[in-house]
Amino acid sequence: MLGEGILKGLAETAKNFAGSFVSKERLTTVQYPEEREPLPENSRNFPFLVYDGTDWEKGLRCVACQICEKECPPKCIYIEKSKDKKPDYTGKPQIYPAKFDIDISVCMSCQICVEVCPFEAIKMNTEFELATDDRFGGLLLDRKELARSNEYYHQIHPTEAAEVDARLAEEKAKAEAKAKAAAEAAAAKAAAAAAAPAQTPAPAAVKPSEGEPKQ
């Protein structure tokens, strides 16, 4: 029948329109920005940098390896590696990004930077209200603007963040066990060397020369 699809669409619209007066489930819109729908956990927009602890600068997981910068398809990530090392939130001296900028006017939200990062340092944010009247500077975010705590990461992506924390904890435990085993082996070797009796070689006999009386 000609126009059958149009009639079905109009009927569905009329059903939702009439039903919206008696059932909230029929409402297809919300009064934004006063009302907001919760975002799905897997939603993503632009990247952010994860930090541990309370100090964003010390706690940044990023070690400026620049893998994300090299792999970024639109080349919107700019990183400058530090010339020195600073203690991180655990006190370990670490290379850090002296500069880490992302141009979100160019970013295509592909998440490749997240997938290639070996340190779980960059993740995708769900924030989308980033409109600004500054077309250039306002859309170029530096490392301070990009930094978000691990607690924030747990709020927006709880399942993924829990998996990441478990994986990092497992890797840390393995590294500590390996270091402990190496230290114990070194201590055992040193103790064995100290307990062994000192053996001094006997003096070699001197052969008398011709014409010299033997002793």
Side-chain angles (χ1 to χ4, degrees):
M1 175 181 169
L2 185 64
E4 181 179 359
I6 296 176
L7 292 175
K8 286 182 178 179
L10 290 173
E12 186 67 26
T13 302
K15 184 169 65 174
N16 283 324
F17 175 73
S20 66
F21 289 97
V22 294
S23 174
K24 195 171 183 179
E25 294 179 357
R26 289 288 183 179
L27 290 174
T28 57
T29 59
V30 295
Q31 298 300 314
Y32 180 85
E34 290 79 11
E35 297 179 20
R36 298 169 185 265
E37 288 288 334
L39 294 173
E41 184 177 345
N42 290 332
S43 63
R44 68 176 191 249
N45 200 18
F46 297 115
F48 70 94
L49 297 176
V50 184
Y51 71 86
D52 296 299
T54 56
D55 188 328
W56 72 267
E57 198 165 11
K58 287 184 178 180
L60 279 179
R61 294 178 182 175
C62 177
V63 297
C65 66
Q66 297 180 301
I67 294 176
C68 59
E69 181 182 32
K70 294 171 185 174
E71 296 294 333
C72 177
K75 304 300 179 187
C76 66
I77 301 176
Y78 313 97
I79 302 173
E80 288 182 10
K81 188 180 295 188
S82 64
K83 302 264 193 295
D84 60 337
K85 291 185 178 182
K86 285 185 178 179
D88 60 12
Y89 81 108
T90 62
K92 179 182 178 182
Q94 191 63 268
I95 294 290
Y96 61 94
K99 182 178 182 180
F100 195 120
D101 297 341
I102 296 181
D103 189 347
I104 62 172
S105 68
V106 179
C107 176
M108 53 193 283
S109 303
C110 64
Q111 197 173 274
I112 290 178
C113 55
V114 176
E115 294 171 359
V116 300
C117 179
F119 301 100
E120 307 290 355
I122 186 167
K123 299 296 176 183
M124 299 303 289
N125 209 339
T126 57
E127 186 179 359
F128 59 89
E129 297 172 309
L130 299 169
T132 176
D133 56 2
D134 186 352
R135 181 180 176 185
F136 300 104
L139 297 174
L140 184 65
L141 306 182
D142 60 23
R143 58 182 188 146
K144 185 176 182 180
E145 294 170 307
L146 292 169
R148 297 287 188 279
S149 68
N150 191 37
E151 287 74 19
Y152 175 81
Y153 180 34
H154 274 266
Q155 289 175 7
I156 62 173
H157 300 302
T159 305
E160 179 186 313
E163 292 174 356
V164 168
D165 280 1
R167 186 162 59 250
L168 292 176
E170 183 180 357
E171 291 174 359
K172 184 180 179 182
K174 287 181 179 179
E176 289 176 350
K178 186 177 179 181
K180 184 179 179 182
E184 289 176 352
K189 186 177 179 181
Q199 297 180 356
T200 55
V206 179
K207 185 178 180 181
S209 59
E210 292 183 3
E212 186 175 327
K214 297 182 178 180
Q215 296 181 356

